[in-house]
Amino acid sequence: MTVGCRFGIDAKLAPDMKALESSQRGAAWLLQHLNQDGIMQGGNDLRAYYKTPAALVLSGHLVEAERVLDYISENLLQPDGDLNGAGVPWFGIYRTYAHSWICCAAMMRGRFELVRMLKGFLATYHDPASGAFFADAARSKQEIMTSSMAGLACLWAGDQDRALAVGHWLKVLLQAQPDLRRGLYTTWRDGALVVDFPQADAPRFLVDSSKPQQKYFQYGISAALLSSLAAATGDDHWLLSAQEFLAASAYAYDDRYSTPQSGKIGWGAAWTYRLSRREQDRVLAATVVEGLAAMQNGDGSWIATGAYGGERADADSAVIDITAEFTALQAAIGLAIPGHR
């Protein structure tokens, strides 16, 4: 008996249906912890809110998504378009990441008052010289995840110029890689790829192919933006770049498609497949669906430790964060790959 089957996901389901069922189970867990006033029970900071609207919209719970967006607007959004990140340990390191997720969800719901403010704040972190977005509060460096997510937010919000600038930066960063078989360098500083850093800081700069539990999402979120640019412009070179990032993930360690850090690879592969209809893109997305479903707890939640799912998880900001993300990603993948729905 598979883990997924044990916890209520039929192992015989087609990948798209397995992804959508997994998403619905995640959404049910989120809804159990959502109050009428938009407060997420167990959550005590921004992590409990910034991905939840996208998760609820993509899984079909629109009224509840509006409730969370209202809470964000009234309690977390600042007058300058910034967000209250108190208590979020990574808020100063990935400064615009949460803004980008909320901006995308606000666009899905036509909440243009939120989009206007969030997009305006994002623009203050854009670097015209490189095309990327500064990741940290000090505006000292740029990296793949925050720039790609900000690029997606800009594309959805109608700022195609900044989204295209990020796309061009991703292509330059890819060309600057010394050897993708050894790993993916993810960070840019002072106009160049960062390849020298203290070994203790390596996970922040390199997806090391020789080690497990790396930040594999870097391969996927870049592909999600690049494939979106291909769709928005009709230019196939963006799609080819998306496939280059996805193909590079094959050099990573054996757990590359089966840890919590793998989810965005499935997202990027599914959106790439929607345009390419290339079988390897579909298979990659389906492989990540299996990995995410296997890690899901019996109650529908996920945890971020890399362990396979247990029976349940206590709600806190970290669990809500990862459950909202995987609920959103499983829905996005399931809606993009063909099957029997």
Side-chain angles (χ1 to χ4, degrees):
M1 181 178 293
T2 67
V3 173
C5 184
R6 173 187 167 197
F7 290 146
I9 300 176
D10 187 347
K12 296 180 181 179
L13 284 175
D16 66 317
M17 293 305 297
K18 180 173 288 191
L20 294 173
E21 181 172 330
S22 174
S23 176
Q24 287 301 317
R25 294 180 61 243
W29 184 90
L30 292 171
L31 293 173
Q32 288 172 6
H33 295 85
L34 175 62
N35 293 342
Q36 284 293 324
D37 58 6
I39 291 176
M40 294 298 297
Q41 301 168 22
N44 58 8
D45 58 48
L46 179 62
R47 289 174 293 171
Y49 297 94
Y50 76 104
K51 293 173 182 168
T52 301
L56 294 176
V57 170
L58 288 167
S59 59
H61 303 281
L62 305 184
V63 172
E64 293 82 0
E66 290 282 353
R67 198 182 303 161
V68 180
L69 287 171
D70 286 342
Y71 178 85
I72 291 170
S73 177
E74 295 165 8
N75 297 278
L76 296 173
L77 186 65
Q78 307 298 297
D80 63 351
D82 198 1
L83 295 165
N84 181 352
V88 180
W90 46 259
F91 194 66
I93 301 171
Y94 305 114
R95 193 60 179 79
T96 64
Y97 185 60
H99 304 70
S100 298
W101 271 93
I102 298 170
C103 187
C104 288
M107 276 302 301
M108 294 178 197
R109 295 301 308 141
R111 296 292 295 267
F112 298 113
E113 77 285 3
L114 297 178
V115 172
R116 172 177 49 80
M117 296 180 69
L118 292 164
K119 186 175 72 168
F121 182 80
L122 285 173
T124 68
Y125 275 78
H126 186 248
D127 177 17
S130 70
F133 283 78
F134 289 109
D136 56 331
R139 293 176 171 82
S140 67
K141 61 181 181 291
Q142 296 130 16
E143 61 89 46
I144 292 173
M145 181 182 73
T146 45
S147 286
S148 296
M149 196 68 212
L152 279 166
C154 287
L155 183 63
W156 285 40
D159 187 354
Q160 189 174 97
D161 288 344
R162 284 194 175 92
L164 287 169
V166 176
H168 286 295
W169 173 77
L170 285 171
K171 289 166 73 75
V172 171
L173 180 140
L174 190 61
Q175 292 167 0
Q177 298 295 318
D179 186 355
L180 286 169
R181 293 169 296 182
R182 298 179 61 185
L184 176 70
Y185 290 93
T186 62
T187 304
W188 199 260
R189 180 186 287 144
D190 298 329
L193 188 68
V194 178
V195 296
D196 295 315
F197 38 79
Q199 193 57 37
D201 294 336
R204 292 173 58 183
F205 295 94
L206 172 66
V207 181
D208 190 336
S209 296
S210 69
K211 297 178 181 178
Q213 296 186 346
Q214 299 291 292
K215 295 181 177 180
Y216 305 123
F217 52 75
Q218 303 284 22
Y219 295 107
I221 195 165
S222 48
L225 172 61
L226 290 163
S227 60
S228 295
L229 291 174
T233 64
D235 293 336
D236 287 343
H237 68 87
W238 297 118
L239 195 62
L240 295 176
S241 294
Q243 290 170 335
E244 285 187 71
F245 272 102
L246 294 173
S249 73
Y251 297 119
Y253 204 79
D254 291 347
D255 66 344
R256 59 193 177 272
Y257 306 132
S258 58
T259 78
Q261 290 75 32
S262 309
K264 291 184 178 72
I265 295 180
W267 175 22
W271 280 12
T272 298
Y273 176 77
R274 188 162 53 192
L275 299 178
S276 73
R277 286 299 189 258
R278 216 175 55 153
E279 180 63 10
Q280 53 263 54
D281 298 330
R282 187 197 67 80
V283 169
L284 181 51
T287 300
V288 174
V289 165
E290 293 284 347
L292 292 180
M295 286 183 284
Q296 192 168 16
N297 294 321
D299 63 2
S301 65
W302 279 272
I303 56 176
T305 62
Y308 280 99
E311 291 291 347
R312 62 182 299 276
D314 293 327
D316 60 21
S317 290
V319 171
I320 296 170
D321 182 348
I322 200 68
T323 299
E325 175 169 345
F326 291 165
T327 296
L329 295 187
Q330 288 285 59
I333 296 168
L335 292 168
I337 59 178
H340 302 89
R341 57 181 177 270

